[in-house]
Amino acid sequence: MKRTALLAAAAGLLVTIVFLTGVVPHPLAIDRTKAIGPTSESDTQASAAGTRGAPEEREISTTPDAELPESSIYHLQATWVDRHSRPVTLSSFKGQPVVVAMFYTHCGFTCPRIVHDLKGILSELPRIERRTVGVVLVSIDPERDTPEALKAFGKTHGLDVPQWTLLTGDDRDVRGLAAALDVRYREEPDDGFAHSNTITLLDPLGEIIAQRDGFSTNNDAFIAELRRFTRASQHQSSERNP
Amino acid sequence: MKAFNYPLLVLSALAALVSISVETPAQPAPETVRIDAGSWQPLYGATRGDESMVIDAFYLSRFAVTNGEFLDFVRANPEWRRSSVKRLFADAHYLSHWAGDLELGPAASEGEPVVFVSWFAARAYADWLGMRLPTTAEWEYAASAGQGRPDGRNEAGFYESILRQYSARSGPSKLGERSMVSATGTPANYWGVSGLHDLIWEWVDDFNSNTVTGESRNNTDLDRGLFCGGASLEAFDVSDYAAFIRFAFRSALSADFAVSNLGFRVAADAPARKATAERIQSRASK
């Protein structure tokens, strides 16, 4: 009798251990769904806050991402790769004004034109302000635009590090960044890509300040906006180094 | 008879009972149908009439995602609740028809397709399920099915019926006055998919691959400075006016838009049945 009881107890315990540790899925339970979505620290804070506070209140997170305004592009969590195969997140550009465009290396006409226009914009800045600007080009053709292809493109067009950053990444992340920047693109079966020609100015916290579409506009307005930030950075820098 | 070791027996019985009663939240699994591989002609194309795309087999949810399903999502993912969501990911109209973060209220019935959701939110929902949004090509391919066959475009009244739905949809109606139609309440097409034309507009993963701009319906004065892409941007098959309307609508969207008649459904990859895929490929390239 005692042996039976012991066997029953052991069986019961074994069953419990097996199901609770998930070694075998419980017939009546299904895996907990993982919460997926923006996964920055501030979001974890916000989600904790969300369960505590009143629905209409917004609690302020105390993590570094809390400094970012809500509409900052830097809330996108993608990791990109540059021409030297180094991982890069866009939020690493926090603190400086950034001019960003999307392109691909095999683009025949408009992408070289975009690069030309970006150089033109930079050359309009006094040299001392110019170096405060980060220029970021993100490929819409990650399949062909490997780090090596980006490196070759950078060399051909004289796009020096550290001012120019060329990035490639995941298709899904490319679609997400394009969506956030309001850039349209579509792969054509035999013909490269159809894409909009947009240059975007981000402020030091990653918010879109200005955009320029197409080539028929002149760049004065864009440059004026850019200089609001480059003058401020330059001024701060000269205050630190009198 | 020796004393039965009751405490131990009770303990083991309790242990077994506990393991049975432990219940982790069920992962939602939308009803999907498998859409077989096929070929589809995009609306745009330099050589329309010739160029067909091969669509790999995929799964598509039978119905649009509902308010009830989306509520489960925001319960599990607080960063997507109305009061928490970042402006980058959804504009100020996000879930504005709900009564609260976690309360649907009278203007949003549980079984109705969820609207006022942005592209980012729709994508996040699909991610949560381990799925994705359908592409434009997949959506259009599934939507070109009639009642009785995969390609409904030669069925009598196919286009007319869709256009009638669209004009009803764009008619004036205040949010509180529109009739609540369940996501499951409309007839299914050949594939068993419902509501593609007669309920709401739907997000697709590559909505920003749709590039109508300005007066490009005339297609003669397309500003070449705005877009790089040659002749393909200028050639639209306007005999399928309903598709053109959808194309134009998607072109007007931004990823953060939360709109009163725009929702979504979900999709997933499916392994192609090899022989079928090869047959389609060879037919398409003829």
Side-chain angles (χ1 to χ4, degrees), chain A residues 9 16 26 30 33-36 38 43 55 58 70 72 75 110 172 175 184-186 188 194-195 197 214, chain B residues 12 15 19-20 24 44 77 80 83-88 119 123 127-128 208-209 211 225-226 228 232 251 253:
Chain A
T16 314
H26 194 289
I30 306 162
T33 314
K34 231 170 67 173
I36 301 203
D43 287 298
R58 312 191 60 137
E70 279 200 27
S72 168
H75 287 301
T110 52
R172 203 189 136 70
R175 190 58 74 182
R184 318 244 140 201
Y185 72 96
R186 178 178 71 234
E188 299 287 283
H195 63 97
N197 297 318
Chain B
S12 61
S19 78
I20 289 166
T24 51
Y44 44 85
N77 298 274
W80 286 103
S83 65
S84 312
V85 77
K86 295 194 166 54
R87 275 294 159 262
L88 176 71
W119 178 80
R123 242 189 173 200
D127 269 350
W128 180 59
N208 58 0
S209 70
T211 50
L226 285 177
C228 169
S232 68
S251 302
L253 295 171

Side-chain angles (χ1 to χ4, degrees), chain B residues 188-201:
Chain B
N189 70 6
Y190 169 81
W191 297 113
V193 180
S194 298
L196 289 167
H197 297 292
D198 30 20
L199 287 175
I200 48 167
W201 304 111

